[in-house]
Amino acid sequence: MPKVFGIGVFEFRHPRAAEYPLPADAAPATTAAPDKVPASTGGASITLLDIQRDRLTRVAAEHWGTPAAASAFDADLVREIYATELRVEGRSRKTVPLHRVMILEVSQYLENYLWPHFDPADASFEHVMSIILMVNEKFRENVAAWTCFHDRKDAFKGFLWWVLKLKEEERTLNMAEKTNYLLFMINAFQSLEDELVRETILQLVSLKLWNTLSFGRLQMELCLNPELIKKWTKIKRREAKEAKKADQPTNPSEMLENKFLRNLIEEFLEILDSKVILSSQDGGEESVLNESPSGQVDDSCVLYCERFMEFLIDMLSQLPTRRFLRPLVADVAVVAKCHLSALYTHEKGRLFAQLVDLLQFYEGFEINDHSGTQLGDDDVLQAHYSRFQAFQLLAFKQVPKLRDFALSSIGSLHKRADLTKKLLVLSDVELQDLVCNKEAVPHLHSYINNEGETAFRGWSRMAVPIKEFKITEVKQPNIGEVKPSAVTADVTFSISSYRHQIKSEWDALKEHDVLFLLSIRPSFEPLSPEEAAKSTVPERLGLQYVRGCEVIEIRDEEGTLMNDFTGRIKREEWKPPKGDIRTVRIALDTAQYHIDVTETAEKGAENVYGTFNILMRRKPKENNFKAILESIRDLMNETCVVPEWLHNIFLGYGNPSAAQWMNMPDLLEVIDFKDTFLDANHVQQSFPDYQVTFINSDGTENLHPSPPFKIRLSKKMRESSHALPGNVNSSLAVKNNNNVADGESQKEKLIVETYIPADPGPYPQDKPKQNSVRFTPTQIGAIISGVQPGLTMVVGPPGTGKTDTAVQILNVLYHNCPSQRTLIITHSNQALNDLFEKIMQRDVPARYLLRLGQGEQELATDLDFSRQGRVNAMLVRRLELLGEVSKLARSLRLPEDVGYTCETAAYFWLLHVYARWEQFLAACAQNQDKPSFVKDRFPFSEFFSDTPQPIFTGESFEKDMHAAKGCFKHLSTIFQELEECRAFELLKSTVERANYLMTKQAKIVAMTCTHAALKRRDFLQLGFKFDNLLMEESAQILEIETFIPMLLQRQEDGYARLKRCILIGDHHQLPPVVKNMAFQKYSHMDQSLFTRFVRLGVPYIELNAQGRARPSIAKLYNWRYRELGDLPYVREQAIFHKANAGFSFEYQLVDVPDYKGKGESAPSPWFYQNEGEAEYIVDVYIYMRLIGYPANKISILTTYNGQKLLIRDVINKRCKPHNIEPPNKVTTVDKFQGQQNDFILLSLVRTRFVGHLRDVRRLIVAMSRARLGLYVFCRRSLFEQCYELQPTFQLLLQRPDKLALNLEECTPFTERPLGETGNIHYVTGIEDIGHLVKFRLEHLRQMQYMQYYAPPANELPPAVPENIAVIPSENGSVPNQPNEHMAVEENGGASDTTVGNKMEEDAVEAKDETMQEGDKTGEGNGDGDVAAKDKDDEHADANDKMEEGEATSKDQIEEETSEPKDKMD
């Protein structure tokens, strides 16, 4: 037989479905969860036979079963049915008899009887309540409830008015009726999409509702929302006019629609306060009481309270109902009174307590109630502080007892415990009077909000409201296209409300930066909880449109151009931006603009470009996506994208060694190594498999060779090289080569030609800069391979001189191929600057060097190598050279006007200078037997009269002739440079000069891969060309970022011009950072092109000698490489043979147990911290500083951002009070890649799981940063079991896992040799090292005291000045000095508080960013958050400033402590 099913367990998140309990005799179908109070005891079912046999079915058939029967209405029948079948008495959770309601609803009691005969004029209470119950039942059954009411719209308004008046009736509703009534209101407010319901029900939550607010709350709300003042004034005038017309005074607060909700809330609070918990006399036979230790509870009241919480939650979760109701809820203090109620803590009030907490969340929801815009953290915090300030002002004016509270800082009051403590000075009566009778009117700053427009409160770091948006130009489409060729617009915004740091970030916007235009419009359509859960962020925030744009230029308030890198503004003419108004000229997406305009014109769609009100930016490091995507698109449309010799290798097929230089055409037969070799022995050591023979230029043997050298390629050199595939061991290759050599009669000869270089000139600046690095044989092989055409891959393990090798390749390449141009690409600005600074120390003229991008300002040089800087340098150099030409003309007794322009100087060179030189050479050829002939007849002697040393001796013709050629070389260089300056003389525009410099003049151009992607289109348009490509850090560069720099030039006759590609990196260290886990794992996007080539078997040269770390420390990571040995430098220098003062070992693993009962913690996802390791490391750092280790020689590394911030916090709190400088850097292992320091303190953080350190590449980076000392703090039991880390940790665990110190050494200098431990003191734990540090600090304090305060024998000790912070002992006092502890508190307390608060803000900000990026970065590889980056910069700046005074402070301490120490000894 068919069944009609009822309901299940109550779920408060689905408020539309009305819930009713079943009768007591109904069999439960489900069991309620213990933490929820079910509205029914189970599922209900009723059969069709039961319905047919029921009395109500017969009554329905008789009275409303047919149209004829329904025409006759009996009001008494309605009263009878309600009284006998629908009304529920008692204190149970049962509000209606479910079966009876179901039968009446099935019989269409509402549609056929109740509603057709409803008359607002004479309707009864029972009639209205019956309709309410039927509507509730329809909602429970999830069927349309309001359909039948649409036929009588006027009557429906009367019905709703009747519903409101039920509360005014003399008849008192019982608790079940009140609950049903409240459920109807919930359903009504959840049906705002129905126009019939909305027109009437929204009147209850209109602005008129504020008539019931207290005076103070009303004034505060009007002050916060000044746009409502005009509307409020109109309402008051209309009410006054109506009262005058009616000729009787009216009180708006007593009007039914105005006071309804306030009365409803006050009724709820009365029930919550007095009727939920029953007294003994309230009980009765009909009461269903729940006995509990905390009292007797009325279940019907509990259900009502739960329903009322649900009602308020629904009201506050919808903007149309929230807008004016929230101030009323706050005014009545509903949440506070619920928290103080007995039900909130009662065991039967668990669901109620959850709902109260949810109501508190919605009441304080971060949204502007009137505009629908989201509030920022600053807005919420500012509102919170404003309330405190208002309260303090009130207390200051009216409550003398709270004077201390009124003058306290908000930071000391904003927590509940602190506020409670301050209010304890008041009695209960005074406190009640303060809260209930006094009103505070806060003084808030209002903001201008134009009516009809979205307004924004607060601020966002990455977004700013738009003041004006205006499209300035739409260009005609190109031929064959329909979209405009360009669309530009001006966006005006203000940065006046931002801090200086954020202002500078907005001011740093530059050309090609991508911005986003947002249209935010709050949605007033209510969302059900189900819809809200499924809705997207744009739907919840009211985000209507998003359009991308690209910055063309940015101007300040006066219209002055900012951040111009095209050369339109000279650097010396640049001025700081004026005012706080910024105007950005942007380029819009032309295709999207065409689509939008077409939609508006043809379909009448909204004009998108008239709605933008937010301008949003991205982090600079993440803002290069557009340029890369454009480059990919352009490359997909090109036919030949890479050189033919690299094509097959790039695609991954063919012979992996096909692009090696031995297999390439057009090889350099003779290579001039210039200053690569330091001496002849260096040459012989570099070619151990050859018999090196030195010859002169004329072919004779040279028995005393000296550099420079030229080497002619031999047959054997072409057949073998240092490059090997990744699967070949170098030892095996050497062994095979030796076997071949043994079979030969003798080693192959290698002819090395020595020559005397031309004299560069008589002046010191003419002398070339010389290399001082003694390159290894492997490095020499890399240089040879790099100079030759083809693909060169160099793997550089830590400390093996990758950068020096790259620089020497560039130097040799420049001198051997002076007409070719080379492009340098790196991943980071720091690596590029390191490379560029070393190039400047080689014999490459500065005029041929160019550094592009934004990192040029960080170059450690006085010269400006940017485009604008090089142009200015060329113009200045032109004037200097023309002055030299005029000087030369004077010396030749010629007119000086030849130095007017570069053109006149060129004629002067041909007609006078070169002609005289040819005549001189001809005369010399006939007088070589005269030793003084050159000295007597040299035509330019007067010009070179100012040389530091005499040029000619007159004793040897050959020597004087060599010097004369040097002088002529100096002159020819002058006129050669002038010829290069001639273009800058002819080009008048700064932009043209800069473009010429980049495309023609510069021989070595350096930039980052990001800049290459951003500017590729510009490079192609300018005709930028280069022959050689060198990429540093290529193992850290994405494959696409490696690919794009190869294609920064157009093809020549269908062929790529690129001749050499030199990739230098280390695939055993960390790969490129890809935050999207799907791209990283499934697309393998974190694999660089360098790594892919290695995996494909492309031969590479692996540098095999490190010069960074002690050999013992290098063993911790050299197992990862083929045969990584040590340079003679680290084996011979004394510093590497002496132990670390104060430590028994140069490296050690320190086992850190749980600290305060816990190991690792994660305050937020991926934000791992370990307080024990942080405390331990900081104590060891303080110990090192007290010994005398310089702060700039110590770095603290960790594997997680959370630990980094924790260590910085501990350092600030522990070191600053004692004037101990912070270390050189506190950062993550990932951020420290490519850097080094003498001493590294490493925290591995994790105690439960190894985490991302299982990536061996991260381990290699961590172990290879230290030169002299490495101390690893971790949980031994965890890491020693990790299989991937065994080679390193087996070495670490060969030594004790407790920190071994040598306490006898108190200075940073020791003569103890490495390997001798001395008298070992093992640190047993964190407390032990803490006591040791405190003892050393106390010892230092006593020595300082003895020096400054020790009086003569006949004098008393002077008083301790207040500005001298004395370090207390462990018990907080110093013997015989009762006032010292007070001095510490006065001087150290405020500092600690300030520093602590600052670090808390830093940590919270970084944690928020880390949480936002946790989903992207997995376990956090150290690149988490933009905020982390900002903090790194801030701390780096602070560290730099602190390091300036380090040496001075150290010398002072040593000087101060030497004499007292001797006396104590």
Side-chain angles (χ1 to χ4, degrees), residues 44-74:
S45 65
I46 181 172
T47 66
L48 182 59
L49 182 61
D50 294 336
I51 295 176
Q52 293 173 349
R53 293 177 179 177
D54 197 279
R55 183 186 72 88
L56 287 177
T57 303
R58 296 193 297 271
V59 172
E62 179 181 354
H63 292 85
W64 62 84
T66 62
S71 60
F73 177 71
D74 187 359

Side-chain angles (χ1 to χ4, degrees), residues 1095-1142:
R1095 295 181 63 193
L1096 288 172
V1098 176
Y1100 60 84
I1101 300 172
E1102 184 171 300
L1103 306 183
N1104 57 3
Q1106 66 89 23
R1108 172 184 295 174
R1110 300 181 189 269
S1112 57
I1113 294 179
K1115 290 181 181 178
L1116 296 174
Y1117 57 87
N1118 63 11
W1119 56 269
R1120 187 64 175 167
Y1121 300 91
R1122 281 175 179 162
E1123 284 187 342
L1124 181 58
D1126 304 307
L1127 289 173
Y1129 168 76
V1130 298
R1131 296 196 300 264
E1132 299 169 359
Q1133 286 293 322
I1135 188 174
F1136 293 102
H1137 290 279
K1138 292 183 180 180
N1140 296 334

Side-chain angles (χ1 to χ4, degrees), residues 461-513:
R461 185 170 196 158
M462 309 305 292
V464 63
I466 294 175
K467 284 185 170 293
E468 183 182 4
F469 177 87
K470 179 174 61 177
I471 293 180
T472 57
E473 184 181 18
V474 179
K475 290 187 177 180
Q476 292 293 328
N478 295 326
I479 298 176
E481 296 181 350
V482 294
K483 64 182 181 67
S485 59
V487 180
T488 59
D490 285 346
V491 182
T492 304
F493 60 91
S494 172
I495 57 173
S496 59
S497 60
Y498 290 128
R499 301 191 305 268
H500 175 73
Q501 178 184 352
I502 301 178
K503 283 184 178 181
S504 63
E505 292 177 3
W506 282 99
D507 285 342
L509 289 176
K510 57 185 181 299
E511 187 182 8
H512 297 301
D513 279 353

Side-chain angles (χ1 to χ4, degrees), residues 924-947:
C924 288
Q926 300 175 2
N927 297 276
Q928 295 183 7
D929 55 341
K930 299 179 181 178
S932 61
F933 183 81
V934 174
K935 179 180 180 181
D936 297 336
R937 300 291 298 273
F938 184 65
F940 310 111
S941 298
E942 184 176 346
F943 178 80
F944 291 102
S945 60
D946 58 348
T947 57

Side-chain angles (χ1 to χ4, degrees), residues 421-434:
K421 185 177 179 181
K422 293 289 185 182
L423 296 179
L424 287 177
V425 298
L426 299 178
S427 64
D428 293 344
V429 177
E430 292 173 331
L431 185 61
Q432 182 178 2
D433 179 72
L434 173 66

Side-chain angles (χ1 to χ4, degrees), residues 947-953:
T947 57
Q949 301 293 334
I951 302 175
F952 307 113
T953 61

Side-chain angles (χ1 to χ4, degrees), residues 206-219:
S206 67
L207 184 57
K208 293 181 179 180
L209 180 63
W210 284 9
N211 281 299
T212 61
L213 294 178
S214 62
F215 176 78
R217 171 65 63 172
L218 177 62
Q219 296 300 317

